[in-house]
């Protein structure tokens, strides 16, 4: 039998025998999660059940009239799941129930209360300890341990679900090509403010190994950022052996790991049988043209905080070695106080609401824990907008290119008279099928949404210029991996043969300024740059390529935005990052926005053609 299932069964059998901690929300508890009621006691609900006659209505006191429906549903759940053991020590008297609940409430706030008479069968609920954690800490009592060799004070909990750090027995340098000193990522991350943008270290370009904005996967798991409790990896392609090795060398080989993935794999399908603490789930797609393409991490720490990483890299070795990738690595989001509500801790960019909307779109019970962790976290200091895509027909402006257009219309500050002088620079690792005419989508709805500005006239005679940065065959030939460098660029020759007009929009991959000229881009990014190349109006870092599947296409009949893929990105707007109208792109300027490629972009020369995946066949 699966050990985790066996343990769960044992817990349920002993549920009514053990003493639970009192829920920090008390009578204001709004939860409907079975896990919460399994772990926490609710005296006001238990008092009602103690006096409930089988088959009759619940004797809910009058003071709960406004929340009677919620309480009824909570009581039904407790009974259905078998979380209730009759005490039979309180008379069937609503007034007595009310008095008992008041005593329980007084205990939680530390008032002196006379002990009540109890029978031998009655098990008294203990008082709430100081600084009690919520359900996400699972009754953890923190104890300090000595500082480890990396200078990190480790916090460990005494509860039964704590999984200890297990130091690796093998040398990381023998297995990973680029290894940065441990214990320094917290300072490096802090120094990356206010953007918190990083680009992956390039194995073959030693100049990138020590750049302050370069990052390795091991640094994401560095213990100076906090001791990991569990993590959620949302991605398209996952090389399981490589991913588990990263956790192993970080000392997290036994920490709980949940994986949502898009490309099917036998290893992922069976991993929970070999490693019960690893839970992997394939995300089904409605059409073969849609992909589960999002690259996101939610890292939950033992102190109740979390971080979110939005990335462009798949979870396999090639994507983290000689390919240019980008990621946004959030500051720590601390746990909210017990009395906070789920909508508390929101940022000016409404990042928390957007993240919950995205996670809930999966409708997967495996994500419940992480959804609750997000609800219980403070995102008030987050300064970016989450821009996501999810499959379906959308009539709101919360997804895909209409989400981009809506945000730019509110906050993008290019003067209207300069609108045509700021080109859209769209950089991608793949191109879509756009039809016989660019106006059908590329220079139509797509360009229209990505070039919206504040105070914009609805009657523009022509759109701004579009510059598509995508590697040419010559770019790939000079890459660190020669033609294999094009393995991350899946644009097909058949698609290009149907849209030869696209060549006039194409610009080369050049990235000498960041020492990534020969590291082919799997990154996707979008920006508006001033005519002199010194300023940017916004920066969007995302998993979404320039395609209809990623950003959506408008149904001309009902106006719905039809999206086929899952994508996720973050939008940087100057007003929220630096409190300016524009980002500065100049070298050595304070608060400079670092983009991975050179500006201004260099157009394809005559005779150049885009890289197509057929060159590898």
């Amino acid at each position: 039998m699966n050990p985790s299932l066996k343990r769960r069964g044992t817990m349920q059998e002993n549920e009514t025998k053990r003493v639970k901690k009192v829920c920090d929300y008390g009578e204001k508890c709004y939860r409907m999660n079975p896990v919460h009621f399994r772990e926490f006691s609710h005296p006001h609900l238990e008092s009602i059940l103690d006096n409930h006659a089988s088959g009759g209505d619940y004797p809910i006191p009058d003071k709960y009239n406004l929340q009677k429906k919620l309480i009824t549903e909570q009581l039904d759940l407790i009974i259905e799941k078998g979380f209730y053991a009759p005490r039979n020590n309180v008379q069937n008297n609503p007034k007595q129930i009310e008095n008992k609940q008041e005593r329980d409430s007084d205990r939680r706030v530390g008032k002196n209360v006379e002990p009540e008479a109890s029978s031998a069968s009655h098990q008294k609920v203990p008082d709430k300890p100081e600084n009690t954690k919520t359900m996400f800490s699972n009754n953890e009592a923190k104890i300090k341990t000595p500082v480890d060799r990396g200078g990190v004070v480790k916090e460990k909990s005494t509860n039964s679900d704590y999984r200890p750090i297990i130091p690796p027995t093998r040398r990381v340098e023998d297995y990973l090509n680029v290894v940065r000193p441990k214990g320094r990522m917290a300072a490096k991350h802090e120094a990356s403010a206010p953007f918190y943008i990083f680009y992956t270290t390039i194995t073959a370009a030693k100049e990138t190994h020590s750049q302050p904005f370069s990052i390795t996967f091991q640094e994401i798991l560095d213990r100076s950022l906090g001791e990991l409790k569990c993590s959620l990896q949302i991605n398209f392609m996952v090389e399981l052996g490589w991913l588990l090795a990263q956790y192993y060398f970080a000392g997290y080989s036994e920490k709980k790991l949940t994986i949502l993935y898009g490309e099917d794999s036998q290893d992922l399908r069976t991993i929970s049988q070999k490693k019960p603490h690893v839970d992997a789930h394939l995300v089904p797609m409605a059409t073969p043209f849609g992909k589960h393409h999002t690259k996101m991490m939610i890292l939950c720490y033992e102190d109740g905080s979390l971080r979110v990483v939005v990335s462009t890299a798949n979870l396999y070795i090639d994507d983290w070695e000689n390919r240019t990738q980008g990621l946004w690595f959030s500051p720590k989001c601390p746990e909210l106080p017990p009395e906070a509500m789920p909508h508390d801790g929101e940022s000016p960019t409404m990042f928390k609401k957007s993240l919950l909307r995205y996670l809930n779109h999966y409708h997967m019970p495996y994500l419940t824990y992480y959804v609750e962790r997000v609800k219980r976290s403070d995102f008030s200091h987050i300064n970016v907008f989450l821009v996501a895509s999810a499959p379906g027909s959308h009539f709101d402006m919360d997804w895909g290119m209409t989400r981009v257009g809506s945000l730019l219309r509110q906050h993008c500050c290019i003067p209207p008279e300069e609108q045509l002088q700021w080109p859209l620079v769209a950089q991608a690792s793949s191109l879509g099928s756009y039809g016989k005419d660019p106006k059908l989508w590329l220079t139509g709805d797509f360009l229209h949404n990505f070039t919206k500005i504040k105070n914009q006239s609805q009657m523009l005679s022509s759109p701004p210029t579009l510059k598509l940065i995508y590697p040419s065959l010559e770019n790939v030939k000079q890459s660190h991996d020669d033609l294999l460098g094009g393995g991350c660029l899946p644009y097909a020759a058949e698609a290009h043969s149907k849209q030869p007009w696209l060549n006039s929009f194409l610009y080369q991959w050049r990235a000498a300024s960041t020492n990534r000229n020969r590291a082919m881009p799997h990154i996707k990014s979008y920006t508006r740059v001033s005519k002199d190349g010194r300023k940017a109006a916004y920066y969007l870092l995302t998993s979404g390529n320039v395609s209809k599947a990623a950003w959506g296409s408008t149904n001309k009949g009902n106006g719905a935005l039809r999206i086929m893929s899952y994508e996720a990105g973050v939008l940087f707007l100057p007003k929220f990052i630096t409190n300016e109208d524009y980002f500065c792109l100049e070298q050595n300027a304070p608060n400079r926005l670092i983009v991975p490629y050179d500006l201004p972009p260099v157009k394809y020369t005559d005779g150049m053609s885009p890289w197509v995946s057929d060159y590898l066949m």
Side-chain angles (χ1 to χ4, degrees):
M1 186 178 185
N2 187 318
S4 63
L5 296 178
K6 183 176 180 181
R7 179 173 178 269
R8 188 187 311 161
T10 303
M11 288 175 64
Q12 289 176 341
E13 290 171 8
N14 295 331
E15 194 63 47
T16 59
K17 301 177 183 178
R18 67 190 178 104
V19 176
K20 302 178 185 179
K21 188 170 64 175
V22 177
C23 171
D24 294 317
Y25 286 95
E27 297 169 0
K28 296 180 181 179
C29 179
Y30 59 90
R31 307 285 180 184
M32 285 300 298
N33 187 345
V35 175
H36 178 67
F37 288 95
R38 186 185 70 201
E39 298 296 330
F40 288 84
S41 169
H42 299 75
H44 71 294
L45 299 178
E46 290 151 14
S47 295
I48 294 171
L49 290 174
D50 283 342
N51 294 272
H52 173 50
S54 178
D57 293 335
Y58 297 116
I60 300 175
D62 292 341
K63 69 176 184 176
Y64 298 130
N65 279 345
L66 294 178
Q67 57 194 109
K68 191 170 183 177
K69 184 176 184 297
L70 172 64
I71 288 177
T72 299
E73 292 175 350
Q74 290 174 326
L75 295 171
D76 287 341
L77 185 149
I78 291 172
I79 291 177
E80 177 189 350
K81 298 297 182 182
F83 297 154
Y84 163 69
R87 293 175 180 170
N88 298 323
N89 65 313
V90 183
Q91 296 177 8
N92 189 13
N93 185 327
K95 183 63 178 175
Q96 189 170 351
I97 296 173
E98 195 165 332
N99 291 339
K100 180 181 185 301
Q101 290 164 349
E102 289 173 359
R103 288 195 299 270
D104 288 329
S105 177
D106 289 343
R107 284 194 187 91
R108 286 196 298 275
V109 297
K111 292 183 180 179
N112 293 325
V113 179
E114 292 184 11
E116 56 184 304
S118 63
S119 65
S121 64
H122 178 70
Q123 201 163 27
K124 184 179 176 182
V125 178
D127 294 348
K128 169 186 164 186
E130 188 176 357
N131 295 327
T132 300
K133 295 293 182 184
T134 64
M135 64 183 246
F136 309 110
S137 298
N138 291 329
N139 305 332
E140 293 170 0
K142 301 289 186 179
I143 57 173
K144 295 287 184 181
T145 60
V147 177
D148 69 7
R149 287 179 295 178
V152 182
V153 177
K154 294 187 290 186
E155 290 186 347
K156 295 185 178 180
S157 59
T158 58
N159 72 307
S160 60
D161 80 332
Y162 175 76
R163 293 172 177 267
I165 292 172
I166 300 179
T169 57
R170 301 176 184 180
R171 292 180 71 251
V172 62
E173 293 82 3
D174 293 339
Y175 294 87
L176 303 180
N177 289 317
V178 181
V179 178
R180 303 296 301 149
K182 291 183 180 295
R184 300 183 184 179
M185 188 58 205
K188 183 175 178 177
H189 184 275
E190 185 176 352
S192 71
F195 294 98
Y196 303 106
I197 294 174
F198 294 90
Y199 301 104
T200 50
T201 300
I202 307 304
T203 299
K206 291 185 178 180
E207 304 90 341
T208 69
H209 296 188
S210 57
Q211 287 173 332
F213 55 84
S214 288
I215 196 169
T216 65
F217 198 97
Q218 280 293 289
E219 289 180 292
I220 294 174
L221 300 179
D222 191 79
R223 228 171 293 162
S224 66
L225 297 166
E227 181 181 340
L228 197 67
K229 178 181 179 68
C230 60
S231 56
L232 171 66
Q233 294 284 352
I234 303 176
N235 218 290
F236 176 47
M237 299 174 64
V238 180
E239 183 181 347
L240 187 59
W242 176 86
L243 179 61
L244 294 183
Q246 295 291 338
Y247 279 81
Y248 166 80
F249 286 117
Y252 294 148
S253 58
E254 291 299 318
K255 299 288 187 177
K256 293 180 180 179
L257 170 61
T258 301
I259 305 171
L260 298 190
Y261 60 96
E263 184 177 70
D264 201 6
S265 160
Q266 178 63 28
D267 288 343
L268 288 164
R269 271 186 271 146
T270 59
I271 184 58
S272 62
Q273 299 171 18
K274 304 170 186 176
K275 295 182 177 293
H277 67 283
V278 180
D279 203 16
H281 305 278
L282 176 68
V283 179
M285 301 301 297
T287 75
F289 302 104
K291 304 295 182 186
H292 180 253
H293 204 238
T294 294
K295 285 92 174 155
M296 182 189 293
M297 312 177 197
I298 297 181
L299 308 172
C300 301
Y301 300 98
E302 289 286 350
D303 65 0
S305 67
L306 62 76
R307 297 178 193 268
V308 179
V309 178
V310 177
S311 167
T312 67
N314 289 291
L315 297 172
Y316 76 109
I317 187 169
D318 288 353
D319 268 26
W320 291 81
E321 294 219 320
N322 286 333
R323 295 174 180 173
T324 299
Q325 308 278 7
L327 59 86
W328 171 76
F329 195 169
S330 84
K332 181 176 283 191
C333 299
E335 187 176 25
L336 288 167
E339 65 274 12
M341 298 301 288
H343 57 268
D344 291 340
E346 184 57 274
S347 71
T349 62
M350 303 300 286
F351 186 93
K352 182 175 183 176
K353 179 181 179 181
S354 300
L355 179 57
L356 288 171
R357 179 172 59 229
Y358 177 80
L359 294 174
N360 286 326
H361 193 277
Y362 284 102
H363 302 291
M364 286 185 166
Y366 327 110
L367 296 182
T368 300
Y369 176 84
Y370 295 97
V371 168
E372 294 300 322
R373 283 291 294 246
V374 169
K375 288 180 181 178
R376 295 295 310 144
S377 296
D378 184 357
F379 286 79
S380 59
H381 54 301
I382 299 300
N383 58 9
V384 298
F385 291 85
L386 182 67
V387 175
S389 293
S393 293
H394 305 284
F395 292 90
D396 50 28
M397 303 183 79
D398 293 332
W399 306 97
M401 63 181 178
T402 55
R403 165 79 165 159
V404 176
S406 174
L407 292 173
L408 295 180
R409 184 68 188 272
Q410 296 175 67
H411 307 295
C412 189
C413 294
I414 298 174
E417 63 273 15
E418 296 181 22
Q419 163 77 328
L420 298 182
Q421 302 171 24
W422 291 59
L424 170 65
V425 180
Q427 173 273 312
S429 66
S430 186
L431 303 171
S433 296
Y434 310 123
K436 295 181 178 181
D437 190 317
K439 293 180 181 179
L440 293 175
W441 186 82
L442 188 63
T443 60
D445 288 344
F446 171 76
L447 185 59
H448 174 68
N449 278 288
F450 277 73
T451 56
K452 286 189 174 183
I453 59 173
K454 289 180 68 174
N455 305 316
Q456 180 180 28
S457 170
Q458 298 298 308
M459 300 297 292
L460 284 178
S461 56
S462 59
T465 303
L466 170 63
K467 298 183 178 183
L468 285 176
I469 297 180
Y470 177 79
S472 67
L473 171 59
E474 289 74 12
N475 292 158
V476 175
K477 282 182 176 179
Q478 54 84 45
S479 73
H480 291 300
D481 298 324
D482 195 39
L483 290 184
L484 292 178
C488 64
L489 309 170
Y491 184 46
E494 182 182 3
H496 190 64
S497 67
K498 298 176 181 178
Q499 47 194 29
W501 52 262
L502 189 60
N503 277 31
S504 62
F505 293 91
L506 294 178
Y507 289 71
Q508 301 179 51
W509 172 255
R510 293 195 176 181
S513 60
T514 59
N515 301 109
R516 286 165 172 79
N517 210 47
R518 299 175 62 195
M520 290 301 95
H522 190 256
I523 186 175
K524 297 89 174 162
S525 61
Y526 303 79
T527 187
R528 296 283 304 280
V529 181
S530 62
K531 185 177 180 180
D532 59 11
R534 300 170 62 184
K535 297 179 290 188
Y538 70 85
Y539 185 58
L540 173 59
L541 180 65
T542 175
S543 64
N545 282 302
V546 185
S547 72
K548 298 176 185 177
W551 295 109
S553 56
T554 305
N555 184 312
K556 304 305 179 185
N558 59 12
L561 183 71
R562 177 65 177 170
I563 297 175
M564 289 187 281
S565 295
Y566 283 99
E567 308 282 0
V570 283
L571 177 63
F572 302 81
L573 286 161
K575 280 292 184 183
F576 296 85
I577 309 290
T578 60
N579 198 29
E580 304 285 344
D581 287 340
Y582 312 107
F583 291 130
C584 182
L585 298 172
E586 296 182 83
Q587 291 280 348
N588 302 319
N591 287 334
R592 176 173 73 103
L593 170 66
I594 299 173
V595 296
Y597 47 80
D598 299 340
L599 289 170
V602 177
K603 196 172 179 61
Y604 277 29
T605 60
D606 291 342
M608 267 191 178
S609 60
W611 166 267
V612 291
S613 55
D614 304 67
Y615 289 129
L616 290 176
M617 294 180 180

